[in-house]
Amino acid sequence: MSKRLFRSRGARGAAVLVVAGLALTGLTACSSDDSTTPGGGDAAAVGPTGVDDGTELSMWTRAPLERQAKALVEAYNASHKNQVKLEIIPNDDMEGKVGGAATNEDLPDLLAGDVVRLPYWVDNGLFTDLTEQIDGLDYADDITQGHVDAGTDADGAKHTVPFVTDISVMVWNKDLYREAGLDPEKGPTTLEEFREQAQAVADLKKPGVSGTYYGGNCGGCLVFTWFPSIWASGDEVLNDGGTEALLASDSAKAVYDTYAQLNASGAVGTGSEEENGSTWTAPFSNGTVGVMQYPNTAVYAAQEAGIDVGVGAIPGVDGGESTFLGGDAMGISKDSEHVAQAWNFLAWMLSDETQLEVVAKDGEVPGRNSLLDNKYAQENPIALTMNKIAASGRTPVAPYFSEAFNASGSPWVNLIRNATFDQTGTVDEDNDAITSILEQ
């Protein structure tokens, strides 16, 4: 049963889930008003910063975020009596491991997850309710909202806070832009400018060089980089409840048509059609792509590889800008026996000092809006640009998001492949197929 730190979310129907082949039963909340905090005494005694008494805490995070997780854990362990034992889970194993642990009531104290998967985990009671603790922070309104929204249930109870922030940006290779006669300091500000600039690089006819590249068989890559163009155009991608896809709008179709044109002209890099995300960022880092949407966390790797990188927001059809506010959020699991101590880590992680001296100093995007323009970002023009972009970020929320979008062979992947490679003219029907998954 889910544990509640301060208040019950109310009863839910019994859940029987299948996660990576494991049946998970009895994970929903029970309607209990128990105010006892596991491992931390009475809830009223927890306080805004929790308890630091030498407890060992367990934490799980996905392998792609190992560097960021280690930086935070090492800083916390060096300055606290509590000690966090970090376990890095291979990305493809995360779902199955969480499913098995949830069934066996063996989840870690601190559990981080992809923001698009969290609504499903929260809906099935895997986290402790932290509403009053989060709202009680002096800077509660300053916290990056997308990571909080991802862990907020239908009753408004909050369960998660920002852990690692990843945003999508537009990047371009300044050297290739110079060769193509483009202004290396000006990336695309409309969808048509993106098409023109990608085509200009492709028209160089340099061996192995393409105008653009995308994960044509990677649902997660595509939501992360294409949803922002729809948002920037003034449209939504899902309804408010996350049960209906709105991906057959005029602006959405304009995005698909742009890539269909680039495919037809040969401007899209070889391998895009088969790209499942495993090598998605490599071509740009190798210097063989002119312009593409990209994760901000990979920009520094491209710079280290010697690429002169331009960075900007992802534009809409006729302008505007947006970004997908992704990455991972973190909460305290339903199985934690040390809630007060685990909250101590979360409160410390969100503090000004940690967000500046650990997160920002390491070139990452802070999880606090007021800290986006900071002294470390001021020293790095690209970091400052990315932080400003993050302020307008969006995060879609739907319990069955992964099944509809991220899963291999998802209806979203089918829509993209049909629209941009095969040009079947079935966007409306494919959008309905996405809705059929979301409305389960």
Side-chain angles (χ1 to χ4, degrees), residues 143-301:
I143 299 172
T144 302
Q145 196 59 37
H147 291 72
V148 177
D149 288 345
T152 301
D153 67 18
D155 299 327
K158 301 173 183 178
H159 301 80
T160 60
V161 296
F163 175 48
V164 176
T165 300
D166 193 10
I167 63 170
S168 49
V169 294
M170 187 71 79
V171 295
W172 59 95
N173 184 313
K174 291 184 179 181
D175 289 334
L176 289 175
Y177 266 42
R178 293 184 184 97
E179 291 184 51
L182 300 170
D183 187 338
E185 303 305 321
K186 293 183 180 180
T189 60
T190 67
L191 197 60
E192 177 59 18
E193 285 182 3
F194 163 72
R195 188 197 66 77
E196 292 173 350
Q197 292 174 18
Q199 190 63 54
V201 173
D203 288 344
L204 291 173
K205 303 297 183 183
K206 294 188 66 172
V209 171
S210 62
T212 192
Y213 190 83
Y214 66 104
N217 202 26
C218 174
C221 306
L222 293 163
V223 298
F224 189 61
T225 55
W226 289 16
F227 279 10
S229 283
I230 299 171
W231 290 326
S233 301
D235 287 330
E236 298 296 329
V237 297
L238 301 174
N239 68 345
D240 288 341
T243 58
E244 179 185 1
L246 306 175
L247 294 161
S249 64
D250 288 345
S251 59
K253 289 179 178 178
V255 175
Y256 314 145
D257 288 345
T258 296
Y259 279 89
Q261 292 176 50
L262 290 169
N263 274 318
S265 71
V268 177
T270 302
S272 277
E273 188 168 2
E274 296 77 27
E275 179 60 69
N276 63 7
S278 59
T279 59
W280 169 47
T281 62
F284 185 83
S285 287
N286 291 337
T288 60
V289 174
V291 57
M292 66 180 288
Q293 297 95 328
Y294 211 63
N296 83 292
T297 51
V299 169
Y300 297 113

